[in-house]
Amino acid sequence: SEMCIRDRDSATADTTTSTSKCPRLQLLHFYNNMSGDGGAKAIARIVEACPELTDFRFSATRSTPVGCESIAAVSCYTVLVA
């Protein structure tokens, strides 16, 4: 299945269960939603648990710099600010 991580309440999602089912996740596009900082922190746990992730998009989520920093802290990606 291409879709491993199902839609959930991002602030309370059990990302450990989700990512354990997708250890080879390579693409994650998470954008155009209202997840905010809670969603950013949940996505950070996913990014950290997916060492093969090579295509990651996180934008238009109403995250503040605090939420975005949680992703940057676990990421090997270059952080781009528009």
Side-chain angles (χ1 to χ4, degrees):
S1 165
E2 290 183 20
M3 182 65 157
C4 296
I5 301 169
R6 304 280 184 240
D7 292 339
R8 298 181 184 202
D9 175 2
S10 61
T12 60
D14 181 359
T15 54
T16 304
T17 301
S18 298
T19 56
S20 66
K21 294 179 184 176
C22 302
R24 298 183 325 187
L25 182 68
Q26 294 179 336
L27 181 141
L28 176 59
H29 290 184
F30 187 77
Y31 60 96
N32 292 342
N33 60 69
M34 298 175 66
S35 61
D37 290 339
K41 291 174 184 177
I43 291 296
R45 290 191 298 271
I46 293 170
V47 169
E48 186 174 35
C50 298
E52 294 189 30
L53 186 64
T54 57
D55 186 346
F56 177 59
R57 178 178 177 188
F58 178 83
S59 62
T61 61
R62 296 192 179 206
S63 251
T64 68
V66 171
C68 295
E69 286 172 5
S70 64
I71 293 173
V74 298
S75 175
C76 63
Y77 296 99
T78 301
V79 178
L80 302 176
V81 178

